Amino acid sequence: QVHLVESGGGLVQSGGSLRLSCQLSGVTFTFYAVGWFRQAPGKGPDSVAAVGWDGTTTWYSDSVKGRFTIERVNAENTVYLQMTLLKPEDTALYFCAATRWIAAQTMAGMTDSQDRGQGTQVTVSS
């Protein structure tokens, strides 16, 4: 069973940067696509970015394209989300989820995945 742990969230001013980490354990990391999602209070989860199981595909939502970068580091069993030019509307609980052997775009659609972590809070002040 896949186990996911997120870290790296925090409070940052508008225009600042954060780097989130999603570490997988209990499975063969290189089999898994990983997606980052976020959920603001009172709203449903939104897809943010995803990377395919073999690392050849990535996907970004329009709202973060050009500001966020997703990167998988197989040697660390970790997927990073580098977030720059943060805006107050980026404030949310960010969580990662993983599924085997799918491309990034498919992973991005899995907002209700049961294989997900607890999340890390990102708060951007104006």
Side-chain angles (χ1 to χ4, degrees):
Q1 182 177 357
V2 61
H3 182 59
L4 302 97
V5 177
E6 303 93 339
S7 61
L11 173 64
V12 64
Q13 289 187 331
S14 181
S17 300
L18 283 173
R19 189 191 194 200
L20 306 184
S21 301
C22 170
Q23 187 168 44
L24 275 69
S25 61
V27 295
T28 302
F29 178 76
T30 53
F31 290 176
Y32 280 77
V34 176
W36 279 100
F37 306 85
R38 64 188 182 187
Q39 187 164 14
K43 296 186 178 181
D46 289 325
S47 305
V48 175
V51 58
W53 72 276
D54 60 0
T56 63
T57 58
T58 56
W59 178 93
Y60 296 94
S61 71
D62 288 342
S63 63
V64 308
K65 203 171 292 183
R67 300 189 297 124
F68 291 10
T69 303
I70 191 168
E71 177 189 13
R72 67 181 299 146
V73 180
N74 290 343
E76 298 176 7
N77 286 0
T78 300
V79 171
Y80 296 99
L81 184 69
Q82 179 68 51
M83 307 188 295
T84 64
L85 300 174
L86 283 161
K87 306 174 182 179
E89 52 262 45
D90 294 318
T91 295
L93 179 71
Y94 284 70
F95 63 93
C96 58
T99 304
R100 288 185 299 182
W101 298 321
I102 58 174
Q105 187 165 359
T106 304
M107 186 70 234
M110 301 182 72
T111 54
D112 294 331
S113 174
Q114 297 301 303
D115 290 324
R116 52 165 286 184
Q118 294 297 309
T120 185
Q121 179 66 37
V122 172
T123 303
V124 185
S125 63
S126 57

